[in-house]
Amino acid sequence: MAGKMTRRQFIGRGAGAVVLGAAMRPRATGGATPVTITHLDFVTPNDGSPRGNALANNLKAFAEAHPDIKVEVQTIPSTEIPQQLLKSTAAGKPPDVTKVHLPDLSAQVDAGTVEALDPFVSGWDKNDWLIGWDSTTIGGKKWAIPWDYRPTVLLYRKKILSDRGVAVPTTWAEVLAGAVKIGSDNPIGFGIGLSQSQNADSLAELFSCGMISAGGVMFNPNGSTAINSEAGVMTFQWIAELFSKGGTSKAAVNHTYFTIADGLAANTIAMTLLGSQRVAAVAATAKDDAGFAPPPGWSASKPGQSNPLSQTLVVSKRSKHKEEAIRFIEFMTGPRAAVELARGGEVPPRKSSYNDPFFATPPAANVSRLKEILLQRGGHVSAYPPKYWDLKQAIAGAAQSMVLQKRTPKEVLDEAAKKYNVLIGA
Amino acid sequence: MLESPVARHGPGVARINVRTVAHEWTFERHGFIVVFALPATLLVAAVYLYPILYAFWVSLHQTQFLQLRQFAGSANYLRLVQDPTVWRATVNSVIYMMGSVIVTVPLGLGLALMLNRPLPLMGAIRGILIVPWVISQAVAALLWTWLLEPSMGPVNRLVEVMGHPKVFFLADPVLAMFTVIVVNIWLSYPFPMILFLAALKGVPPELYEAVQLDGAGRWATFRHIVFPFLRPTMLSTVILVSLLYLNMVALIYIMTGGGPLSATETLAVQAFKRSFMEFRIGLGATLGTLILVLNAVFGVGYIRLLRQQDETIY
């Protein structure tokens, strides 16, 4: 019958249709099937925080600019990222891109979890960075790209200071005097954390800032630590006096970076030294009452030096999508992402980013000022060694011993330095 | 229990039966037991035995981050034996464990006895009492850190209202250990409470009636009826919570980080720090093996006590 197909015709035409369909199907390499890369971060996209919103917006912008790359974000606390990168690498399933804190970078390089980026970034402008290109170079190789810079700044609550007649301090002596005037309890004059948990970051940042402001160095040329130098002892003496004169609470022995930031936001701490990334977080709660200033110096004539840290982006050595990972990093550290990054309170790393008109507007005022502090006061620690975590623990333990057991700064710092130097075999 | 051969015929009969059964074991008659037990045995071996053996293997090596380097034999063990911080952590572990057990178990027992009596709003009381058990260690640690915070914590506010100076619960070495033990007791008392309550439900009501007819008071009832029934549960509870406390990391680490001055650094916390903060996985595995030995000592003690108890009863 006309119009009716035989079985042979049906099979033949069906096969033809399948072949034609397959031939007409877009190829995977043509971009229809995106490559999926994983990104390990401590910021949760769209969590309602300024930086969470910023990350979400930048991920969206990246997806629009690079439809051939899909990014899956895995979020864990920042203090757990180093171990997670090590563990996932050992398990053979590392994230393609990970956000690594600058002091933790050398340990990851030592462990062989990250890829040297030199072949991928040879065409990049090495002079377009607020801090030298070599800040993330170890052993002559480039291992990470800075995602932000975070100079240490003095954060304070304006009303507490004005109510007590304390001017914004510019020297360590003024900070101490102001803290003592405010007192040790609700509000605490100066927030400091001697706890060894959360990587002992609170004390480490304050201590390194005090040391380099005094002209000291954290490490000798042979890798041994110089924390027990005159500069280190001077900084510890200041901490001892802060406790003994009542400028901080005894509870500070157990305080951490996060509890101090929370205390400042909750108005129970008047002043503290933290990384610049905390400026926006505190301002989100304290609004106009939150203030910040450059780090204090040891004398009026010698301005304090900040110790700028950085969150960096690395590519896993075992990543199967290194090219895509680099494209993601280039976008997230580049001018297009910088505006959102600044809205989230971070200091974008590339000079060219600041050409965007946004940085001339009031919402960018804080970030622009932080950038200036970074450029003007950016004295910094030399390369962080792989065992920096151990040194931070030793410093925190020494400070606890000094405060609780009433030992001298020199005594406890000598002990801590010896412990670290034995550990590294120096 | 009352339906067991021991209850029906006495211990002598039960022993003979067990021996007879043991002699008459044949694959045809009992092979299915092996077949049924094999998957679970393999699963347990994979989940527990392999990691234990691997950890022991790691402890015999020098390591760099998570990678094994050369075989080191007993070097890690010798190093730890010579390390005073390990001995201090061992003492801290025992203090933490004992301090928690001697309060948690009697507290759990007391609450179970209370819940075993008819009380108004029993469901609500039971629900409230069990709440700490469903809270994770991390959440409990954060909650109590805030409660005890000297500047804004409500506990210190209460202390001040009562006319006392502020207490720095987590900033003083002695007080910090005491505090983490108290928080641990709060967190874990529902576990023995539930176990004891389940055991109490197994006491036949007619036994209570019988002793009451004999004129026994509350204490005599507890001593002669309730306590013998609870003994096996009590022993297993003591061992279970002891092992739980010896292995506890999150609660202590989040509350104090092991400080101040390492006053709350237990073996488990030290193993965690060495493995995942210092990345000395070899030393961490060695400490893990040491904890395993401590656990085994308690486990063997538990089994021996149970055997002694069996002999006493039968």
Side-chain angles (χ1 to χ4, degrees), chain A residues 137-425:
Chain A
T137 298
I138 298 169
K141 290 182 179 176
K142 183 77 171 172
W143 297 98
I145 305 297
W147 173 74
D148 73 348
Y149 293 123
R150 32 186 67 182
T152 316
V153 290
L154 180 81
L155 286 107
Y156 58 90
R157 295 299 297 249
K158 292 175 186 172
K159 190 168 186 308
I160 298 176
L161 263 60
S162 64
D163 285 353
R164 266 76 169 182
V166 176
V168 177
T170 57
T171 66
W172 289 94
E174 288 173 7
V175 174
L176 180 61
V180 171
K181 198 169 180 182
I182 293 165
S184 62
D185 185 29
N186 214 2
I188 294 168
F190 187 87
I192 185 172
L194 308 189
S195 173
Q196 288 178 310
S197 53
Q198 287 175 15
N199 298 334
D201 278 331
S202 167
L203 182 64
E205 287 196 21
L206 180 138
F207 181 71
S208 57
C209 189
M211 268 199 84
I212 59 176
S213 294
V217 292
M218 292 284 278
F219 302 101
N220 296 312
N222 68 349
S224 63
T225 184
I227 56 169
N228 52 342
S229 64
E230 197 180 327
V233 171
M234 188 191 289
T235 308
F236 254 46
Q237 183 60 44
W238 184 89
I239 294 169
E241 287 179 27
L242 182 71
F243 277 88
S244 65
K245 291 181 178 175
T248 196
S249 164
K250 190 189 170 188
V253 167
N254 197 48
H255 280 172
T256 64
Y257 203 93
F258 294 142
T259 53
I260 292 170
D262 289 346
L264 194 72
N267 213 24
T268 57
I269 290 176
M271 295 182 282
T272 191
L273 269 181
L274 291 174
S276 61
Q277 79 281 3
R278 289 285 159 187
V279 169
V282 173
T285 308
K287 310 292 178 196
D288 291 342
D289 193 48
F292 69 94
W298 287 104
S299 68
S301 60
K302 197 176 175 188
Q305 293 295 301
S306 165
N307 173 33
L309 295 172
S310 172
Q311 288 288 346
T312 69
L313 294 174
V314 301
V315 176
S316 294
K317 185 161 257 176
R318 292 193 181 182
S319 167
K320 291 172 183 162
H321 306 293
K322 293 190 175 101
E323 289 288 350
E324 288 81 3
I326 286 291
R327 282 164 66 191
F328 177 65
I329 290 175
E330 187 172 19
F331 182 92
M332 297 303 273
T333 59
R336 273 192 73 181
V339 171
E340 284 298 330
L341 203 60
R343 282 203 177 102
E346 325 287 353
V347 178
R350 301 186 75 148
K351 292 176 187 169
S352 55
S353 300
Y354 294 87
N355 296 331
D356 191 288
F358 169 76
F359 289 96
T361 62
N366 278 355
V367 167
S368 297
R369 197 171 149 221
L370 289 168
K371 184 196 83 172
E372 291 309 314
I373 291 174
L374 176 78
L375 294 175
Q376 292 164 13
R377 305 286 189 91
H380 60 90
V381 171
S382 55
Y384 292 95
K387 300 278 184 199
Y388 188 58
W389 185 89
D390 298 82
L391 182 62
K392 288 192 288 185
Q393 292 293 304
I395 293 169
Q400 288 181 9
S401 182
M402 177 181 72
V403 171
L404 293 175
Q405 298 175 323
K406 310 290 180 205
R407 297 171 68 196
T408 66
K410 179 67 177 160
E411 192 183 0
V412 294
L413 281 172
D414 280 346
E415 200 173 272
K418 187 180 172 190
K419 189 176 174 185
Y420 176 77
N421 291 337
V422 167
L423 178 72
I424 63 162

Side-chain angles (χ1 to χ4, degrees), chain B residues 21-64:
Chain B
V21 169
H23 280 281
E24 289 175 357
W25 194 95
T26 60
F27 189 80
E28 288 75 18
R29 290 178 67 181
H30 300 97
F32 73 95
I33 296 173
V34 176
V35 172
F36 280 120
L38 197 60
T41 309
L42 288 175
L43 189 67
V44 168
V47 173
Y48 288 102
L49 204 57
Y50 172 74
I52 289 169
L53 292 175
Y54 184 70
F56 180 66
W57 180 244
V58 171
S59 75
L60 301 175
H61 287 77
Q62 283 186 1
T63 55
Q64 186 184 15

